[in-house]
């Protein structure tokens, strides 16, 4: 539940971020408008005023674009826990296939990144020996690295914002060791200010500022923390006299980071770059590249806070590897770099040297090469400074350089001051779009993959749902239906048996009157045995019906993907094991299934067959016949004796004998008939006796109840076991489906988020492209 709430909070946060992304470009607060610049504009000439108006309007537009871009980067990081921004990898299908191959072969492979089109957010990574065991660690490391890069870009945008909000311009003079950087600064100032014989001994950055910014006082402020520096707070710097500059800078025992040098420039505003009357400018002399790794790193970081870079190249050495790297890195943001090839007077083949250097510049900084007439200059700073010390005007090449630099810094402030911000915005917005499009495509692929999983699960899900509705949710009905069928069958089968007992008497042999009693006992036993067999048959029928019911349920789920442990429950033999015991099969004859001698316990007495009424009927049926027979025999002997004593009466004697013989024969026949009918009498009496006994003990009802209950019990044991296990499987399937759907919704939200980022970055980039820094005419 807590995880679900957290997820809902994340989605809510996402909605807010999406709304934030869609906000229009932030308008610039009036506090960023410079009062000093406004005053300068008011007091300046008409043309300059128009240029300043254009600069301020385009500056404010870029400030708004910086804010909008910063919002995009912030939002990209805001949901990194839910949707970490993935770094582009070449061809998802190829990478997936490669990863599969790695897992199958267990080999190590390299991962190639699709970052050739990235500028600012490029990580320059190379992942080697990529294995399954390292996959998660590598992925997390790459995500973390990209997140750090986005954070770094966000902070750089903040610096950009402060840089172009600041009305002053900073000019960084840098280059390789012994390229003549300090000499160049002194030549620009027309006097020696910074030490020239430093060899590689400049231990910190020297920033030359017009002394008017220090109440006209020329001095040095040695600074430990440039960000904390405040001219009004002496605790943030150490003060030195300007005459001690060489000693302070070259020795730098305290390891100061920055030397802020306040000096006077007595030239007119039209001549001086430092004291130009329009914009506060500072010239920053830097340590040479490769003086040591720490200072080189600091120089790379310093260039990000600079408006104009003047890169010094020794004409004899051309561009070193570190110089090319610096220019390439700076060119990503600045676009235009002022390049000075110093000591050109010492070159024997100047035209060839020019071609070679310009060819290198074309590759390193294409925009600089395109405006080489104004941005690339071949001079000798030392020779120029020597001429200035002599009171001469200087060399033409250096005068042209100074004029172009003044124009670039002052008159083309949109280009020199704002172009770095524009170039950086173009590059970072292009990178944001590229990465967000890549991540959007990943989410689309994820949605597709999840949908395929859902679609793949759908048939089985619907099958499971059908089984649930037809079987699992209807267990009681299935059990009732089967047990009712068994109940009806048993009741009919046993009821007809009890009703038609007489028909089964033919199965017992009758051996005559002498064995009549034996016949009666055998008939009784036979009927009870049949009753037991019929009851067992019905029990078997119940067992068979339950097994068929289980088999039917099993057939219903044969097309459903269910764990084998669940389907094994639906084995008909499980029913046999429950219903196949003797206790279940034993018939209820006397209400006690445990009585194994139930038949013998039921005695058969003469009185059970011949009650008083039967005995009277017996007298009625057999006595006349017997009397006739006895009378005939007796009369025959009696008459014969009398006739002998009387005399020889032939005629009368024959007649009398005939009569008595006829009477005897009739009596014998009648008795024979009565005896022959005894079988039917016994059958009738025995079957009636058994029927009455079976009805008395409720043979039919008891066995119907027993068999139906046992059938129900066996089905409940098997089917409810199946139901419980099936329910867990179905709930697991539903949960899995819900998880898929949740993942899909999250992926949909992520896709919309990255699509919004991409769309917004494209909108901002289109606006950036409309910012014209070349045309300085008034915008209407």
């Amino acid at each position: 539940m807590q995880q679900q709430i957290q997820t809902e909070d994340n989605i809510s946060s996402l909605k807010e971020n999406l709304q934030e992304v869609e906000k229009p470009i932030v308008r610039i607060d009036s506090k960023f408008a410079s009062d000093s610049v406004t005053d300068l504009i008011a007091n300046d000439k008409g043309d300059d005023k128009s240029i300043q108006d254009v600069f301020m309007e385009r500056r404010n537009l870029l400030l708004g674009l910086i804010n909008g871009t910063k919002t995009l980067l912030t939002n990209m990081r805001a949901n990194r826990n839910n949707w970490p921004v993935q770094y582009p990898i070449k061809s998802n299908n190829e990478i997936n296939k490669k990863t599969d191959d790695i897992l199958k072969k267990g080999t190590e492979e390299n991962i190639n990144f699709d970052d050739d089109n990235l500028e600012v957010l490029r990580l320059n990574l190379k992942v080697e020996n990529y294995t399954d065991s390292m996959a998660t660690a590598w992925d997390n490391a790459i995500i973390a690295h990209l997140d750090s890069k986005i954070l770094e870009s966000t902070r750089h945008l903040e610096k950009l914002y402060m840089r172009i909000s600041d009305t002053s311009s900073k000019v960084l003079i840098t280059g390789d060791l012994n390229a003549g950087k300090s000499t160049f600064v002194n030549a620009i100032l027309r006097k020696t200010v910074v030490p020239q014989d430093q060899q590689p001994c400049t231990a910190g950055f020297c920033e030359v500022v017009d002394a008017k910014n220090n109440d006209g006082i020329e001095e040095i402020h040695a600074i430990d923390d440039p960000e904390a520096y405040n001219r009004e707070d002496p605790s943030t710097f150490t003060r030195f006299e300007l005459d001690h500059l060489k000693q302070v800078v070259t020795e730098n025992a305290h390891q100061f980071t920055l030397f802020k040098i306040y000096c006077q420039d007595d030239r007119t505003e039209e001549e001086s770059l430092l004291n130009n009357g329009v914009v506060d400018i500072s010239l920053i002399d830097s340590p040479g590249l490769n003086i040591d790794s720490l200072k080189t790193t600091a120089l790379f970081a310093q260039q990000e806070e600079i408006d104009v870079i003047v890169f010094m190249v020794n004409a004899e050495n051309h561009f070193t590897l570190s110089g090319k790297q610096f220019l390439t890195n700076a060119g990503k943001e600045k676009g235009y770099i002022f390049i000075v090839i110093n000591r050109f007077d010492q070159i024997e083949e100047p035209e060839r040297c020019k071609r070679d250097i310009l060819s290198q510049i074309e590759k390193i900084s294409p925009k600089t090469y395109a405006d080489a007439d104004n941005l690339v200059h071949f001079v000798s700073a030392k020779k120029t400074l020597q001429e200035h010390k002599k009171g001469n005007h200087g060399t033409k090449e250096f005068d042209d350089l100074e004029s172009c630099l003044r124009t670039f810094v002052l008159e083309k402030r949109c280009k020199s001051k704002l172009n770095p911000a524009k170039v950086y915005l173009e590059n970072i917005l292009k990178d944001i779009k590229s990465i967000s499009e890549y991540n959007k495509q990943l989410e689309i692929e994820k949605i597709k993959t999840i949908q395929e999983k859902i679609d793949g699960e759908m048939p089985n899900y619907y099958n499971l749902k059908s089984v649930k509705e037809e079987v699992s949710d209807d267990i009681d009905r299935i059990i009732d239906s089967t047990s009712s069928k068994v109940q009806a069958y048993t009741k009919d089968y046993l009821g007809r048996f009890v009703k038609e007992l007489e028909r089964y008497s033919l199965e017992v042999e009758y051996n005559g009157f002498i064995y009549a009693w034996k016949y009666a006992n055998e008939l009784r036993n036979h009927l009870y045995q049949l009753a037991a067999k019929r009851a067992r048959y019905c029990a078997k029928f119940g067992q068979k019906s339950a097994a068929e019911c289980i088999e039917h349920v099993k057939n219903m789920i044969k097309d459903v993907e269910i764990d084998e442990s669940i389907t094994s429950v639906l084995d008909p033999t499980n029913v046999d094991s429950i219903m196949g015991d003797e206790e279940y099969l034993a018939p209820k004859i006397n209400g006690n299934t445990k009585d194994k001698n139930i038949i013998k316990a039921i005695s058969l007495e003469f009185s059970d067959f011949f009650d008083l009424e039967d005995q009277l009927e017996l007298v009625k049926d057999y006595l006349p016949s017997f009397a006739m027979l006895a009378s005939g025999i007796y009369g025959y002997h009696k008459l014969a004796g009398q006739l002998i004593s009387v005399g020889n009466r032939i005629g009368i004697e024959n007649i009398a004998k005939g009569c008595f013989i006829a009477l005897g024969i009739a009596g014998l026949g009648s008795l024979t008939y009565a005896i022959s009918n005894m079988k039917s009498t016994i059958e009738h009496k025995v079957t009636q006796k058994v029927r009455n006994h079976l009805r008395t003990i409720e043979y039919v009802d008891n066995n119907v109840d027993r068999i139906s209950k046992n059938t129900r019990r066996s089905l409940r044991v098997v089917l409810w076991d199946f139901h419980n296990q099936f329910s867990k499987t179905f709930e697991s399937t539903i949960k899995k489906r819900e998880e898929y759907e949740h993942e899909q919704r999250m992926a949909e939200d992520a896709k919309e988020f990255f699509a919004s980022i991409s769309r917004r970055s494209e909108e901002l980039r289109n606006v950036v492209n409309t910012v014209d820094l070349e045309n300085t005419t008034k915008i209407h």
Side-chain angles (χ1 to χ4, degrees):
M1 179 63 72
Q2 184 178 0
Q3 183 178 4
Q4 184 177 1
I5 293 174
Q6 184 178 1
T7 302
E8 295 299 330
D9 291 341
N10 292 335
I11 294 176
S12 176
S13 174
L14 168 69
K15 302 299 184 183
E16 294 176 1
N17 289 331
L18 286 172
Q19 294 175 0
E20 182 68 22
V21 169
E22 296 297 338
K23 287 183 178 180
I25 298 174
V26 178
R27 294 299 178 189
I28 307 305
D29 196 287
S30 59
K31 68 180 180 180
F32 294 114
S34 171
D35 293 335
S36 60
V37 173
T38 305
D39 293 338
L40 285 170
I41 292 173
N43 296 324
D44 214 339
K45 296 180 181 179
D47 291 342
D48 291 335
K49 179 179 178 181
S50 175
I51 292 174
Q52 290 296 335
D53 282 341
V54 171
F55 171 80
M56 292 297 291
E57 185 170 348
R58 292 173 182 172
R59 184 201 74 160
N60 289 346
L61 179 56
L62 286 175
L63 288 174
L65 290 166
I66 289 173
N67 271 339
T69 305
K70 181 183 172 184
T71 298
L72 290 181
L73 292 175
T74 301
N75 286 334
M76 288 176 73
R77 296 190 69 245
N79 287 281
R80 61 185 181 276
N81 291 332
N82 292 321
W83 307 301
V85 182
Q86 304 287 337
Y87 195 67
I89 298 177
K90 285 185 177 179
S91 178
N92 292 335
N93 293 332
E94 292 179 7
I95 294 299
N96 291 337
K97 183 178 183 299
K98 178 178 286 188
T99 303
D100 292 339
D101 292 341
I102 292 171
L103 297 178
K104 291 177 181 177
K105 298 176 183 178
T107 57
E108 297 178 346
E109 294 287 345
N110 299 336
I111 297 298
N112 298 317
F113 297 98
D114 188 17
D115 56 1
D116 295 339
N117 63 332
L118 298 182
E119 299 290 346
V120 178
L121 297 179
R122 188 172 184 176
L123 301 182
N124 295 317
L125 294 175
K126 186 177 181 181
V127 178
E128 297 180 344
N129 302 328
Y130 186 95
T131 61
D132 181 43
S133 60
M134 299 171 58
T136 301
W138 269 120
D139 293 343
N140 292 337
I142 294 170
I143 290 171
H145 196 175
L146 178 58
D147 183 69
S148 298
K149 194 72 173 179
I150 293 174
L151 178 60
E152 177 186 321
S153 299
T154 303
R155 291 172 177 170
H156 183 70
L157 284 171
E158 293 173 352
K159 293 178 181 179
L160 267 180
Y161 192 94
M162 298 304 297
R163 186 197 309 171
I164 67 175
S165 296
D166 183 7
T167 57
S168 64
S169 289
K170 294 182 179 181
V171 180
L172 175 68
I173 294 89
T174 188
D176 289 317
L177 292 174
N178 299 321
K181 299 182 293 297
S182 300
T183 302
F184 175 80
V185 173
N186 291 331
I188 289 291
L189 297 174
R190 296 291 197 271
K191 60 181 179 180
T192 301
V193 177
V194 295
Q196 297 177 208
D197 55 347
Q198 300 173 33
Q199 300 172 356
C201 66
T202 300
F205 292 90
C206 297
E207 183 176 356
V208 182
V209 185
D210 195 343
K212 71 178 182 178
N213 293 314
N214 192 38
D215 300 328
I217 302 174
E218 288 191 320
E219 61 182 1
I220 305 169
H221 290 180
I223 304 168
D224 286 318
D225 184 5
E227 293 184 3
Y229 170 71
N230 182 1
R231 188 178 65 85
E232 304 295 335
D233 184 3
S235 66
T236 61
F237 63 91
T238 301
R239 186 179 282 108
F240 295 96
E241 293 182 3
L242 190 60
D243 294 340
H244 299 156
L245 177 62
K246 182 176 180 179
Q247 179 182 355
V248 172
V249 173
T250 54
E251 295 181 1
N252 195 13
H254 188 72
Q255 295 294 315
F256 292 108
T257 303
L258 175 65
F259 299 96
K260 192 172 281 284
I261 305 169
Y262 293 97
C263 69
Q264 298 281 0
D265 190 344
D266 298 329
R267 290 180 295 165
T268 63
E269 294 178 353
E270 287 75 14
E271 295 176 326
S272 173
L273 180 63
L274 202 63
N275 180 26
N276 56 74
V278 179
V279 178
D280 293 333
I281 290 181
S282 59
L283 302 176
I284 302 175
D285 183 19
S286 69
L289 293 171
N290 295 326
I291 188 171
D292 62 48
S293 59
L294 182 62
K295 291 183 175 61
T296 300
T297 301
L299 180 58
F300 272 75
Q302 182 74 12
Q303 66 89 13
E304 296 179 351
E305 302 176 3
I306 299 301
D307 298 308
V308 179
I309 292 178
V310 177
F311 192 83
M312 303 292 298
V313 180
N314 189 329
E316 297 173 336
N317 299 331
H318 294 194
F319 293 97
T320 64
L321 181 62
S322 59
K324 291 178 180 179
Q325 185 179 359
F326 178 88
L327 288 173
T328 299
N329 188 53
K332 291 179 180 179
E333 178 187 351
K334 300 293 187 294
Y336 301 98
I337 299 174
F338 214 89
I339 298 178
V340 177
I341 295 84
N342 195 22
R343 298 173 184 168
F344 191 66
D345 58 328
Q346 300 178 16
I347 300 299
E348 294 181 358
E349 299 183 48
E351 291 303 321
R352 178 183 175 182
C353 179
K354 277 187 178 182
R355 289 196 304 270
D356 292 344
I357 290 178
L358 287 173
S359 176
Q360 293 181 63
I361 293 174
E362 183 180 13
K363 297 177 182 178
I364 298 171
S365 179
K367 288 188 176 181
T368 300
Y369 175 80
D371 195 14
D373 291 341
N374 294 315
L375 298 177
V376 182
H377 296 271
F378 299 83
V379 300
S380 173
K382 184 176 181 180
K383 182 178 179 181
T384 300
L385 184 59
Q386 290 172 350
E387 292 294 327
H388 289 161
K389 288 181 178 179
K390 294 177 183 179
N392 297 329
H393 190 66
T395 63
K396 179 181 181 303
E397 291 79 9
F398 201 89
D399 288 343
D400 291 341
L401 179 154
E402 191 170 6
S403 175
C404 289
L405 181 60
R406 177 184 172 89
T407 300
F408 187 67
V409 174
L410 300 179
E411 297 180 17
K412 295 185 177 180
R413 289 192 71 214
C414 283
K415 194 172 183 178
S416 62
K417 177 80 173 178
L418 303 182
N419 192 70
K422 179 183 178 182
V423 171
Y424 188 83
L425 286 172
E426 287 176 340
N427 290 334
I428 188 65
L429 288 170
K430 178 173 70 70
D431 288 0
I432 291 173
K433 179 174 177 60
S434 178
I435 289 178
S436 58
E437 281 293 323
Y438 174 79
N439 279 267
K440 183 185 77 171
Q441 190 60 39
L442 285 183
E443 298 302 330
I444 291 175
E445 291 295 326
K446 185 186 294 184
I447 293 168
K448 181 180 177 182
T449 300
I450 295 173
Q451 188 60 50
E452 288 175 354
K453 290 181 179 179
I454 293 175
D455 293 342
E457 292 286 339
M458 286 300 289
N460 193 54
Y461 168 77
Y462 284 122
N463 287 336
L464 287 172
K465 186 177 180 182
S466 176
V467 171
K468 180 178 181 297
E469 293 172 351
E470 297 180 14
V471 179
S472 185
D473 289 348
D474 216 8
I475 292 291
D476 287 331
R477 183 193 62 79
I478 294 173
I479 294 173
D480 289 342
S481 175
T482 303
S483 61
S484 296
K485 181 181 75 171
V486 172
Q487 184 180 30
Y489 178 85
T490 303
K491 187 174 183 178
D492 177 69
Y493 188 75
L494 297 182
R496 283 189 291 106
F497 167 73
V498 173
K499 184 178 180 181
E500 299 172 0
L501 280 177
E502 287 79 3
R503 58 183 291 192
Y504 301 104
S505 62
L506 298 175
E507 299 173 2
V508 180
E509 184 178 1
Y510 178 73
N511 294 319
F513 173 75
I514 297 174
Y515 301 99
W517 187 253
K518 180 181 178 182
Y519 170 72
N521 280 285
E522 288 179 353
L523 178 58
R524 177 202 61 180
N525 293 343
H526 177 66
L527 293 178
Y528 276 119
Q529 287 174 356
L530 286 177
K533 287 182 179 179
R534 292 300 188 274
R536 288 178 67 88
Y537 178 81
C538 289
K540 286 287 187 180
F541 177 80
Q543 183 179 1
K544 179 182 177 184
S545 298
E548 290 175 348
C549 177
I550 299 300
E551 188 66 30
H552 174 68
V553 172
K554 188 175 181 179
N555 290 332
M556 290 179 67
I557 66 169
K558 65 180 180 180
D559 296 328
V560 183
E561 294 180 10
I562 303 179
D563 189 84
E564 187 176 350
S565 62
I566 300 176
T567 56
S568 64
V569 174
L570 297 175
D571 189 345
T573 58
N574 291 334
V575 174
D576 296 339
S577 64
I578 298 172
M579 302 179 66
D581 60 338
E582 286 300 320
E583 182 178 354
Y584 170 77
L585 295 175
K588 276 204 168 189
I589 303 295
N590 199 31
N592 183 4
T593 59
K594 294 182 180 180
D595 189 355
K596 304 302 180 181
N597 298 315
I598 185 69
I599 297 176
K600 293 181 180 179
I602 303 174
S603 61
L604 187 64
E605 302 293 339
F606 181 82
S607 60
D608 293 331
F609 293 98
F610 303 107
D611 54 17
L612 181 60
E613 182 179 352
D614 293 333
Q615 293 173 17
L616 292 175
E617 289 183 3
L618 184 64
V619 171
K620 179 182 178 182
D621 292 337
Y622 290 90
L623 188 57
S625 299
F626 183 78
M628 289 176 65
L629 177 61
S631 298
I633 295 173
Y634 176 78
Y636 178 83
H637 286 286
K638 186 72 175 171
L639 178 61
Q642 290 176 355
L643 288 175
I644 291 172
S645 60
V646 172
N648 192 10
R649 294 179 175 177
I650 300 298
I652 299 173
E653 179 183 349
N654 290 334
I655 294 171
K657 285 181 179 180
C659 292
F660 281 110
I661 290 172
L663 179 64
I665 292 173
L668 180 61
S670 177
L671 182 60
T672 302
Y673 171 78
I675 292 173
S676 65
N677 195 43
M678 184 175 289
K679 178 178 181 294
S680 298
T681 301
I682 293 174
E683 288 178 358
H684 172 71
K685 294 302 179 180
V686 170
T687 54
Q688 189 64 35
K689 175 72 175 181
V690 173
R691 180 182 293 111
N692 290 339
H693 178 251
L694 291 178
R695 288 173 177 172
T696 300
I697 66 173
E698 298 180 346
Y699 161 79
V700 174
D701 292 339
N702 285 337
N703 280 285
V704 166
D705 182 64
R706 176 181 68 88
I707 294 171
S708 63
K709 282 183 177 180
N710 279 283
T711 303
R712 182 186 300 274
R713 179 174 64 86
S714 64
L715 287 174
R716 289 183 69 85
V717 170
V718 176
L719 292 182
W720 276 105
D721 188 14
F722 164 76
H723 169 78
N724 292 333
Q725 295 190 42
F726 175 82
S727 295
K728 292 179 182 178
T729 299
F730 187 66
E731 289 172 3
S732 176
T733 302
I734 292 176
K735 184 177 180 181
K736 186 177 181 181
R737 178 184 172 86
E738 289 175 348
E739 289 174 353
Y740 282 152
E741 291 175 346
H742 174 72
E743 290 178 10
Q744 193 175 46
R745 288 194 299 271
M746 295 293 287
E748 288 283 357
D749 291 339
K751 183 197 74 174
E752 287 301 318
F753 176 74
F754 287 115
S756 180
I757 293 287
S758 174
R759 184 169 57 252
R760 186 60 173 159
S761 64
E762 181 68 19
E763 293 173 357
L764 291 174
R765 192 159 180 254
N766 289 337
V767 177
V768 171
N769 291 334
T770 63
V771 179
D772 185 6
L773 301 182
E774 298 290 340
N775 182 13
T776 57
T777 59
K778 182 69 175 179
I779 299 177
H780 300 286

